[in-house]
Amino acid sequence: MTNIAAVLHGANDLRVEPIPVPEIKENEVLLAMKSVGICGSDLKYWMYGKCGKFTMEKPMVIGHEGSGEVVKLGPGVKHLKIGDRVAVEPGVPCGRCPLCKTGRYNLCQSIFFCATPPDDGNLCRFYKHSAEFCYRLPDHVTDDEGAMLEPLAVAVYSCRKGQVGLGTRLLICGAGPVGILTLLVAKQNGATTVAITDIDSTRLALAKSLGADYAFKVTTDEPSTLATDILDVVGDFPDVTIECSGTNFGFSTGIYATVPGGSLVMVGRVPGGAEFPLNLAFTKEIDIRGVFRYANCYPTALQLVSKGLVNVKALISHRFTIDESLKAFQTAASRDTKAVKVIIQCEPN
Ligand code: 572
Ligand code: ZN
């Protein structure tokens, strides 16, 4: 068995190179990785060597949206067998701290998280992971769909945080993968009106084809103008805004557009911290809710895909092999390619 990985050595230095096959311990499994999606944070590490407060101090295997096949079982693993295909939940918390014990394990301060420095990711051929955070995929769920459960989990969590339910009128700022997946989950939850905004017409067209009731192309630099447009066209204020663009513009649009007493869910992260009209949020009593990754969402994400309720395949725009990882990253980062979700296949041909 030989292993190769997409190793990021620093900004703009991604190399596909041999690495050791990991040794597994109790309650771990060795996986032959199948599909790994590229996320916006992977692109940040690739372009700048950092993302948010996390800076790479040493080379790091990239990738955290993965699926794989169990090839070896550590002692104590009961719920999996060799040959099972699984989706990998990339965050493995300590399980012992108060946050873990109350189920809010995404906030665990000693969580291992794939491709967040100093932790290695899973864009490689062989990867070890805690069996507890591997979810067996039914035969009819593909490897690509297994990888897509990761961003789908973010969407499931975001809708939970926004209490998106029957009759909710929702505004989503940003039609990237998480924005579009949030649309799909919201519709399943019974949201009756979903409006979505973006600067990119191709992404808006995809959102419309997947069920968005309204798509707004951002053509102004004044968020209150867009908010007024939305209100004019939709006829109602949204009860909830889920901000997935990671821009000040998206945050501000949410504060202006959301109905008084409504809520704004923060999913996108604005580098350096968001600036938005906080006093308006005060006077409108808008509840601002944070989303940091997700907790307890993989089982729901898997059910949504397994029952055919959410079509995650519709987001996959490009596929590459692991040897072509650099090309995959270039494709994902480029505006011209119209990439939505780029998936890398780790299996040798
Ligand atoms: O799918 C998990 C995920 N989480 C993201 C971004 C992309 N993908 N978050 C935003 C960035 N933060 S962070 O703490 N960080 C870079 C680790 O700033 C994590 C959550
Ligand atoms: Zn991600």
Side-chain angles (χ1 to χ4, degrees):
M1 265 192 334
T2 54
N3 199 4
I4 58 165
V7 181
L8 192 54
H9 284 259
N12 245 297
D13 189 3
L14 184 70
R15 308 177 203 166
V16 178
E17 61 190 21
I19 61 161
V21 176
E23 299 284 342
I24 55 168
K25 299 200 193 81
E26 205 164 348
N27 301 318
E28 289 182 335
V29 287
L30 185 66
L31 301 175
M33 293 304 292
K34 296 276 201 173
S35 301
V36 177
I38 300 178
C39 165
S41 67
D42 296 319
L43 293 175
K44 288 263 167 69
Y45 288 116
W46 175 54
M47 292 192 285
Y48 312 113
K50 57 181 278 192
C51 179
K53 62 175 186 178
F54 291 86
T55 303
M56 291 175 54
E57 306 284 355
K58 60 178 172 67
M60 173 177 85
V61 179
I62 202 79
H64 62 271
E65 300 180 352
S67 63
E69 181 181 329
V70 177
V71 293
K72 206 169 168 184
L73 296 171
V77 178
K78 296 276 183 293
H79 78 289
L80 293 172
K81 57 182 193 310
I82 287 168
D84 281 349
R85 291 179 316 111
V86 297
V88 180
E89 179 171 351
V92 181
C94 80
R96 291 177 297 272
C97 70
L99 288 161
C100 282
K101 284 190 169 168
T102 53
R104 302 193 67 173
Y105 65 82
N106 55 320
L107 304 178
C108 171
Q109 294 301 291
S110 41
I111 194 168
F112 164 95
F113 201 97
C114 289
T116 296
D119 301 331
D120 279 326
N122 52 23
L123 180 46
C124 53
R125 279 209 184 128
F126 295 102
Y127 168 75
K128 78 167 159 80
H129 203 67
S130 162
E132 226 188 301
F133 291 87
C134 293
Y135 300 81
R136 201 182 74 78
L137 300 174
D139 292 342
H140 68 279
V141 174
T142 66
D143 301 327
D144 287 1
E145 288 174 315
M148 289 297 292
L149 295 191
E150 206 282 337
L152 183 58
V154 178
V156 167
Y157 191 66
S158 302
C159 286
R160 263 188 211 161
K161 270 292 176 98
Q163 298 174 304
V164 174
L166 201 56
T168 298
R169 290 164 296 196
L170 176 65
L171 171 63
I172 299 169
C173 297
V178 170
I180 293 180
L181 290 169
T182 299
L183 153 74
L184 301 181
V185 174
K187 281 282 167 184
Q188 279 307 310
N189 282 7
T192 39
T193 306
V194 182
I196 189 161
T197 69
D198 205 287
I199 52 169
D200 182 321
S201 311
T202 314
R203 289 187 168 198
L204 289 174
L206 177 63
K208 268 230 134 177
S209 77
L210 293 173
D213 300 284
Y214 301 95
F216 291 89
K217 188 172 159 82
V218 179
T219 52
T220 169
D221 57 7
E222 182 42 60
S224 61
T225 304
L226 176 60
T228 307
D229 280 357
I230 294 169
L231 180 61
D232 285 350
V233 174
V234 179
D236 285 307
F237 290 101
D239 304 299
V240 183
T241 297
I242 302 188
E243 202 310 300
C244 302
S245 73
T247 64
N248 285 325
F249 187 89
F251 270 85
S252 297
T253 304
I255 300 290
Y256 284 112
T258 308
V259 73
S263 33
L264 174 75
V265 180
M266 310 189 284
V267 185
R269 201 184 126 275
V270 181
E275 279 178 39
F276 57 89
L278 189 56
N279 277 346
L280 187 58
F282 265 109
T283 54
K284 290 178 76 176
E285 274 199 12
I286 292 176
D287 293 331
I288 299 175
R289 297 186 182 155
V291 159
F292 186 74
R293 300 170 177 153
Y294 42 75
N296 307 300
C297 291
Y298 259 69
T300 303
L302 177 52
Q303 283 191 69
L304 288 171
V305 171
S306 169
K307 302 268 181 185
L309 300 173
V310 161
N311 176 12
V312 292
K313 282 184 185 162
L315 280 78
I316 300 174
S317 54
H318 297 79
R319 294 183 94 265
F320 294 92
T321 64
I322 191 166
D323 312 279
E324 303 169 315
S325 288
L326 183 58
K327 208 160 103 191
F329 272 68
Q330 287 164 341
T331 303
S334 164
R335 275 267 174 81
D336 311 336
T337 58
K338 304 281 176 206
V340 181
K341 182 56 75 180
V342 175
I343 296 270
I344 295 174
Q345 186 203 310
C346 301
E347 261 182 319
N349 287 322

